[in-house]
Amino acid sequence: AQKVTQAQTEISVVEKEDVTLDCVYETRDTTYYLFWYKQPPSGELVFLIRRNSFDEQNEISGRYSWNFQKSTSSFNFTITASQVVDSAVYFCALSEAITGNQFYFGTGTSLTVIP
Amino acid sequence: GAVVSQHPSRVICKSGTSVKIECRSLDFQATTMFWYRQFPKQSLMLMATSNEGSKATYEQGVEKDKFLINHASLTLSTLTVTSAHPEDSSFYICSARGGQYQPQHFGDGTRLSIL
C-alpha cells in the first residue's frame, strides 16, 4: 500500500535557524515520484519539488534542500536560515510514475518561524 | 508554467444550496482533472478523477450523487456540491494534468462554508 508519513505535526523555530521536515514513504512500486508542496495560510498549494525514484541525488535550491534516501524510504526537506515567510504547512506526497493518477499526501507539517 | 484557475475562491451559503466550483487549465489542455478535499488541519484527500468526455471515477466513500463532476472540455471541470450541508464545509482543490506522464498542477482552492 502507498503511504506517506510526516511524523512532525508542528514545528516552531526562531528565525535564521535551520529546520528539517521529515517524510517517510511506503510503496510497492519500483518507479514513483515524490513531491513537496507548501501551503501558506491562504490555502493554495505551492509546488516545491518533484523527484523521480531513480534519481537519488540530493538537490539544493536557494535555502531549500532535499535529501532522498531510498534505503530508508525518506525524502527529507531542509530549510536553511529560516525566515518568517517560510511559515506554512508543508506536505510531502507520493505518486506512481506510470499513470500519476493517485497522489498520496502526508498529513503535513505546520512550520512556524518566530521572528 | 502551467496555470490552473479555480473559481470561486470562497463560498458561503445556506444549508440545502447547491454550489458549483470551476476548475480551468488556462494555458494547457487537461486530459485529466482531479478533485481533492481538505478538512481543517488535515491532509488532502482525493475525491475523484475525471477524464475529459467520460464519467468521473470516485474514490471509496465519496458520494457521486452528492458531488457531481463534469469534465466537458479539455480546459474545464466542474464540481457541484448538491444540497450542501454544514458537514460539507471544507477546502476543495482541483488539479489538472496535460498528459499521462505530465505532473499535476493545482488550483488555488475553494473554501466552502455551509451555514
Side-chain angles (χ1 to χ4, degrees):
Chain A
Q2 321 276 34
K3 185 180 178 182
V4 176
T5 301
Q6 293 179 255
Q8 305 150 308
T9 306
E10 296 181 358
I11 299 177
S12 292
V13 297
V14 176
E15 199 170 22
K16 297 185 182 176
E17 287 184 348
D18 299 346
V19 58
T20 295
L21 309 182
D22 298 333
C23 174
V24 175
Y25 62 93
E26 296 175 30
T27 179
R28 291 179 184 164
D29 295 335
T30 54
T31 306
Y32 50 90
Y33 288 112
L34 294 165
F35 302 78
W36 275 96
Y37 286 88
K38 174 182 180 180
Q39 188 177 44
S42 49
E44 74 274 18
L45 282 178
V46 178
F47 170 81
L48 297 178
I49 189 171
R50 178 177 78 161
R51 172 66 70 204
N52 184 298
S53 55
F54 291 117
D55 183 1
E56 282 193 72
Q57 280 193 342
N58 293 332
E59 180 156 340
I60 298 174
S61 177
R63 295 184 297 107
Y64 296 168
S65 63
W66 291 270
N67 185 322
F68 179 24
Q69 299 272 349
K70 279 182 88 169
S71 59
T72 56
S73 297
S74 65
F75 187 43
N76 296 337
F77 171 34
T78 298
I79 301 175
T80 303
S82 59
Q83 300 176 0
V84 174
V85 293
D86 296 327
S87 298
V89 178
Y90 290 85
F91 289 97
C92 179
L94 165 76
S95 79
E96 56 169 331
I98 301 302
T99 65
N101 271 1
Q102 180 72 54
F103 255 56
Y104 298 87
F105 283 90
T107 48
T109 297
S110 177
L111 173 65
T112 301
V113 180
I114 304 165
Chain B
V3 178
V4 174
S5 172
Q6 198 170 331
H7 179 81
S9 58
R10 186 174 182 98
V11 180
I12 302 174
C13 57
K14 293 181 179 179
S15 184
T17 307
S18 291
V19 179
K20 180 185 284 188
I21 303 170
E22 293 186 347
C23 180
R24 294 181 184 272
S25 56
L26 298 186
D27 53 359
F28 68 100
Q29 292 188 325
T31 55
T32 307
M33 287 188 170
F34 306 86
W35 287 95
Y36 295 83
R37 180 168 53 185
Q38 184 183 28
F39 290 109
K41 298 194 175 183
Q42 294 189 25
S43 188
L44 287 80
M45 299 300 295
L46 180 67
M47 298 174 66
T49 302
S50 74
N51 292 297
E52 186 265 338
S54 60
K55 288 184 179 180
T57 302
Y58 289 80
E59 295 300 303
Q60 194 172 11
V62 178
E63 299 175 57
K64 60 180 67 176
D65 294 331
K66 177 137 187 89
F67 299 100
L68 301 178
I69 292 172
N70 184 284
H71 191 168
S73 78
L74 284 171
T75 59
L76 174 65
S77 176
T78 60
L79 167 67
T80 301
V81 184
T82 61
S83 187
H85 291 287
E87 59 266 28
D88 299 322
S89 298
S90 186
F91 191 62
Y92 293 86
I93 304 180
C94 72
S95 71
R97 190 180 70 191
Q100 187 173 2
Y101 301 106
Q102 300 302 310
Q104 292 185 30
H105 301 279
F106 287 86
D108 286 347
T110 297
R111 198 166 300 278
L112 175 63
S113 300
I114 308 298
L115 304 178

